[in-house]
């Protein structure tokens, strides 16, 4: 059983709408429905009368709602207590959920700039995939979300509740080692691809469909969707990989990797929850707009 199932159920009890609660919880309606059903399976009972509109709680659902609200209240109090202890420590703390690749390429430099602007601070970072990072922000466990953005992939966050700043520019390019596998008889290059449905995989699919992209065929799939793993494969000559320029700028400059496509521009965005405010976080947010590095190959 997962805590987010309880929070999903509490939201649904308030809205009586799967679509509205899915929007508030920043997930698709189908994923939200599966999570509610998983909670019912775990409990071994039906919590909702789905034959009514709006939906209503069953007798078991009303009983469990009291338990769910109490569990959520106690956990919220515990988290607030831990945060208060942290804020009473010698250094203020900022917590950030960020894509793996941005943790390697962008976040270290960005944190240096923030410290220069706001003074000494501590940081706690969750490097993970896009969906988990979004959920970490929505569930309130982290102050900020650092991610890429491209108009071809909708962001599942309400901009009124989750404002953002553009803190940099990057681009996605196809790269390959000069000594790597040669194209096949039809001129196609071997492609190192991300797992199906992953965020960088969706970005790579958009880039691959644009004019100037190499003609490829899949030769390797990296199921954990970490760009640095594909970078290692590309450096070893296994094929073409679509990677952020910020992650491979040094390899491109040294000639270890060749760019074999036109670039697809992306924004580097920082999100926060408008419902979470504290003075130090407000200072960090204001400082976040002071620098906007551009990692793209061309202006």
């Amino acid at each position: 059983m997962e805590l987010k199932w309880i929070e999903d159920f509490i939201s649904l009890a308030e809205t009586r709408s799967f679509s509205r609660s899915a929007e508030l919880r920043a997930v698709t309606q189908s994923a939200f429905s599966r999570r509610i059903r998983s909670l019912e399976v775990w409990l071994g009972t039906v919590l909702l009368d789905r034959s009514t509109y709006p939906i209503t709680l069953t007798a078991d659902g009303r009983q469990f709602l009291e338990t769910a609200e109490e569990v959520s209240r106690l956990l919220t109090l515990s988290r607030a207590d831990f945060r208060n202890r942290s804020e009473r420590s010698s250094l203020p703390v900022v917590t950030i959920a960020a894509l793996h690749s941005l943790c390697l390429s962008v976040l270290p430099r960005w944190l240096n700039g923030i410290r220069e602007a706001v003074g000494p601070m501590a940081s706690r970072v969750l490097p993970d995939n896009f969906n988990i990072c979004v959920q970490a922000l929505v569930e309130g466990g982290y102050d900020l979300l650092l991610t890429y953005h491209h108009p071809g992939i909708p962001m599942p966050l309400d901009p009124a509740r989750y404002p953002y700043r553009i803190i940099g520019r990057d681009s996605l390019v196809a790269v390959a080692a000069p000594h790597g596998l040669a194209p096949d008889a039809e001129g196609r290059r071997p492609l190192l691809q991300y797992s199906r449905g992953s965020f960088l995989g969706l970005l790579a699919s958009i880039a691959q469909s644009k004019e100037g992209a190499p003609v490829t065929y899949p030769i390797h799939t990296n199921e954990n969707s970490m760009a640095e793993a594909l970078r290692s494969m590309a450096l070893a000559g296994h094929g073409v990989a679509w990677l952020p320029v910020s992650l491979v700028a040094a390899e491109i400059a040294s000639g270890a990797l060749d760019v074999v496509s036109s670039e697809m521009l992306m924004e580097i965005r920082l999100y926060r929850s408008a419902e979470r405010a504290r003075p130090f976080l407000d200072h960090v947010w204001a400082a976040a707009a002071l620098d906007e590095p551009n990692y793209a190959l061309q202006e």
Side-chain angles (χ1 to χ4, degrees):
M1 204 279 289
E2 299 184 31
L3 173 60
K4 61 187 175 185
W5 297 352
I6 293 178
E7 295 171 336
D8 290 342
F9 176 66
I10 293 172
S11 173
L12 189 56
E14 293 173 351
T15 67
R16 304 301 173 96
S17 167
F18 276 90
S19 60
R20 178 58 181 153
S21 285
E23 179 183 354
L24 292 173
R25 299 287 290 155
V27 296
T28 64
Q29 185 171 337
S30 59
F32 182 84
S33 297
R34 285 195 299 270
R35 280 162 33 172
I36 293 295
R37 182 56 186 151
S38 295
L39 176 61
E40 291 179 315
V41 170
W42 187 84
L43 289 169
T45 190
V46 176
L47 301 174
L48 307 168
D49 183 351
R50 293 169 171 80
S51 66
T52 63
Y53 183 81
I55 60 171
T56 58
L57 302 183
T58 63
D60 285 349
R62 291 191 296 272
Q63 179 181 337
F64 180 69
L65 180 59
E66 296 179 8
T67 301
E69 290 175 334
E70 181 65 7
V71 167
S72 179
R73 184 186 69 82
L74 291 173
L75 289 172
T76 299
L77 287 174
S78 294
R79 183 171 65 182
D81 179 56
F82 293 140
R83 286 181 176 170
N84 288 336
R85 292 184 201 175
S86 175
E87 290 174 0
R88 290 194 298 267
S89 66
S90 59
L91 290 177
V93 180
V94 62
T95 57
I96 308 164
L99 300 185
H100 285 108
S101 56
L102 288 171
C103 285
L104 291 174
S105 59
V106 174
L107 184 62
R109 180 175 182 264
W110 181 81
L111 281 174
N112 283 338
I114 294 298
R115 286 194 174 96
E116 291 176 3
V118 305
M121 69 175 193
S123 56
R124 180 163 58 89
V125 177
L126 170 68
D128 219 309
N129 65 47
F130 177 76
N131 291 327
I132 291 178
C133 287
V134 169
Q135 198 66 35
L137 178 69
V138 170
E139 292 178 350
Y142 287 79
D143 297 318
L144 303 170
L145 163 65
L146 184 64
T147 184
Y148 286 118
H149 173 75
H150 184 274
I153 301 180
M155 168 57 80
L157 292 175
D158 180 355
R161 298 181 62 208
Y162 299 95
Y164 69 87
R165 292 192 184 281
I166 300 171
I167 67 162
R169 314 277 173 173
D170 205 344
S171 62
L172 200 68
V173 292
V175 294
H179 62 277
L181 295 175
D184 65 10
E186 300 177 14
R188 301 177 303 168
R189 291 175 173 267
L191 177 66
L192 309 171
Q193 59 186 8
Y194 299 92
S195 60
R196 185 181 182 90
S198 69
F199 183 72
L200 283 177
L202 294 173
L203 286 173
S205 296
I206 295 172
Q208 184 67 43
S209 67
K210 291 182 176 295
E211 184 178 354
V215 180
T216 61
Y217 65 94
I219 195 174
H220 171 79
T221 299
N222 193 59
E223 290 293 350
N224 68 5
S225 301
M226 294 175 64
E228 53 269 30
L230 291 190
R231 177 181 63 179
S232 297
M233 291 289 291
L235 283 168
H238 292 283
V240 174
W242 285 97
L243 296 168
V245 168
S246 60
L247 191 65
V248 290
E251 289 81 359
I252 293 172
S254 69
L257 290 173
D258 291 335
V259 176
V260 296
S261 72
S262 56
E263 61 184 328
M264 185 179 79
L265 299 178
M266 305 181 296
E267 295 173 347
I268 304 171
R269 287 187 177 185
L270 189 73
Y271 286 82
R272 69 175 293 185
S273 171
E275 299 168 1
R276 295 186 63 193
R278 52 192 172 97
F280 176 70
L281 184 57
D282 292 340
H283 292 325
V284 171
W285 187 250
L290 298 179
D291 186 23
E292 192 177 302
N294 190 347
Y295 298 94
L297 297 176
Q298 300 177 4
E299 295 291 338

